[in-house]
Amino acid sequence: MKKLFVLLLSLVMVFSMVACGGSNEASETTTEAKDEAVKIGVTIYKFDDNFMSFVRRAIGTAAEGSAELILNDSNNSQATQNDQVDMMISKGVKSLAINLVDPQAAPTIITKAEQAGLPVIFFNKEPEASVLKSYDKAWYVGTASSEAGIIQGEMIAEMWKANPEWDRNGDGVLNYVLMKGEPGHPDAEARTKYAVDVVKEAGIEMNELELQTGMWDSVKGKELMDAWLAKHGDEIEFVICNNDGMALGAIESLKGNGYFGDGTYMPVVGVDAIPDALEQIKSNYMAGTVLNDAKNQGKATFELAYNVAMGKEPLEGTDWELDGNKAVRVPYVAVTIDNIDFAEEAYK
Ligand code: BGC
């Protein structure tokens, strides 16, 4: 009887060990399933870019539950980004989503992708059309760069006409300073050109007091504005910025230099409609901005990268369209105090 009891006990023990083993296996299978989730390699030119942090967030949100992202901060170095691409390829990614550091480096990335047989979605910094066309598995997600400049120019012209007191010296000429984004960046080049061209086309005479790059950055924007105010003072009648980051720096400088008190308003316009800029519009420190739809650009980047990683057509199951340059272009929208709610929604 005792022997039988011992036998039964050992059987129970063996059985429970097997059961335990089973459960270990089960958890491994779960991990394997997770490991099997398609891997997508993403680079951001630098995490320390206000606008790109919202695009990054949107990519992450879109990926939740369907893919594993390998996300890299390229720290504003193309050499670093090139190494990151090699590393992601060796980790078995099925597609690449690349926010270039240097827009001229697209051929280098394409060569790497092509050698590994991988599709690549560039986003935010548009490669030249010929480069994109050179590889059948390359596409772009971004905007039509000129559109932001056109909208900003229309906004400036309309505001200038509606506020004759902004012409401080009453000479009928709009004296402006312009903060440009990164030289060579298609967005910076097109915004700078079109914002000014459109105002002139509206019949307004313009005089450029300063045009320099603030590299999309608010600290640099403040430094530039400090220097320009010291040099030109009240001669400046309009501050045109290629993005909100620099506009926020300009506003900080203007506040520090006694503007926005009685009768010392200075119109400042930007592009992006990031939440901090919307706050400045609400408090009447910023005249307007142009929505650069980070949420939809991030979403589209992921959706295309995911489709091609799964061996599908880039647009399958999406509402996006490709233009003749293999690009999905998310529209820009003018933002002033009148439609601020809409812009706030776009960044939630
Ligand atoms: C945005 C900038 C941003 C840049 C980064 C532009 O489209 O307007 O705010 O710094 O992209 O490449």
Side-chain angles (χ1 to χ4, degrees):
M1 189 66 202
K2 200 177 167 199
K3 265 191 188 162
L4 185 68
F5 178 74
V6 171
L7 184 72
L8 273 175
L9 189 71
S10 20
L11 270 178
V12 167
M13 280 172 72
V14 168
F15 190 75
S16 55
M17 276 167 73
V18 169
C20 273
S23 83
N24 272 347
E25 247 167 49
S27 74
E28 263 169 34
T29 320
T30 322
T31 332
E32 267 168 31
K34 208 173 146 224
D35 284 344
E36 275 166 18
V38 65
K39 283 189 193 138
I40 298 177
V42 185
T43 65
I44 302 287
Y45 93 99
K46 58 171 187 167
F47 278 10
D48 182 20
D49 175 294
N50 218 326
F51 172 75
M52 290 314 299
S53 66
F54 291 99
V55 177
R56 175 158 55 104
R57 187 181 74 178
I59 294 174
T61 307
E64 264 165 32
S66 51
E68 187 190 327
L69 297 182
I70 301 184
L71 202 60
N72 293 273
D73 179 355
S74 301
N75 276 310
N76 213 16
S77 155
Q78 190 57 52
T80 302
Q81 184 166 85
N82 295 346
D83 291 347
Q84 289 168 337
V85 168
D86 291 338
M87 178 274 291
M88 294 188 295
I89 292 173
S90 72
K91 281 193 173 170
V93 296
K94 293 286 182 274
S95 72
L96 296 164
I98 305 294
N99 173 213
L100 291 163
V101 176
D102 175 1
Q104 301 301 321
T108 311
I109 304 294
I110 285 184
T111 304
K112 290 180 188 296
E114 199 165 13
Q115 279 167 359
L118 286 180
V120 51
I121 310 296
F122 292 100
F123 62 105
N124 172 258
K125 287 195 198 180
E126 186 168 4
E128 286 183 17
S130 58
V131 176
L132 218 51
K133 281 190 184 141
S134 71
Y135 183 41
D136 62 340
K137 289 186 189 144
W139 294 271
Y140 176 67
V141 174
T143 60
S145 298
S146 56
E147 200 177 285
I150 294 171
I151 295 175
Q152 199 184 46
E154 287 167 352
M155 186 184 274
I156 296 167
E158 200 177 308
M159 287 174 173
W160 181 255
K161 286 179 180 169
N163 295 281
E165 73 283 6
W166 289 2
D167 183 9
R168 265 187 242 287
N169 58 6
D171 65 352
V173 179
L174 191 160
N175 288 306
Y176 69 93
V177 292
L178 196 151
M179 289 190 194
K180 185 175 173 173
E182 182 192 349
H185 189 311
D187 288 352
E189 298 300 336
R191 290 175 194 175
T192 300
K193 174 178 167 19
Y194 286 95
V196 173
D197 284 1
V198 167
V199 179
K200 289 183 180 163
E201 276 160 25
I204 296 166
E205 201 180 324
M206 293 184 96
N207 175 34
E208 180 186 287
L209 294 171
E210 296 286 348
L211 191 162
Q212 277 185 54
T213 177
M215 295 301 284
W216 304 121
D217 183 73
S218 61
V219 175
K220 293 206 175 69
K222 182 179 178 307
E223 284 166 6
L224 280 180
M225 198 68 223
D226 282 342
W228 294 345
L229 284 172
K231 188 168 160 198
H232 302 284
D234 261 2
E235 257 185 283
I236 304 170
E237 293 169 332
F238 223 114
V239 184
I240 306 172
C241 304
N242 276 180
N243 82 338
D244 287 347
M246 295 184 292
L248 291 171
I251 290 170
E252 211 187 315
S253 160
L254 285 160
K255 285 180 185 168
N257 281 281
Y259 279 80
F260 304 114
D262 294 337
T264 55
Y265 182 74
M266 177 74 83
V268 180
V269 289
V271 174
D272 285 341
I274 52 172
D276 286 349
L278 299 180
E279 286 308 312
Q280 298 299 321
I281 294 179
K282 283 202 262 182
S283 320
N284 205 26
Y285 291 122
M286 190 163 164
T289 186
V290 182
L291 172 68
N292 191 6
D293 190 339
K295 204 198 256 179
N296 274 314
Q297 287 173 56
K299 186 168 180 278
T301 299
F302 176 74
E303 288 175 352
L304 268 71
Y306 182 70
N307 270 343
V308 294
M310 302 301 279
K312 297 182 189 168
E313 287 302 312
L315 300 183
E316 201 173 311
T318 74
D319 293 333
W320 310 113
E321 284 173 14
L322 287 172
D323 71 3
N325 285 339
K326 297 170 46 186
V328 168
R329 301 197 190 271
V330 178
Y332 285 105
V333 185
V335 176
T336 61
I337 192 71
D338 302 329
N339 63 343
I340 200 109
D341 299 349
F342 157 80
E344 277 176 329
E345 204 50 44
Y347 267 87
K348 264 187 191 150

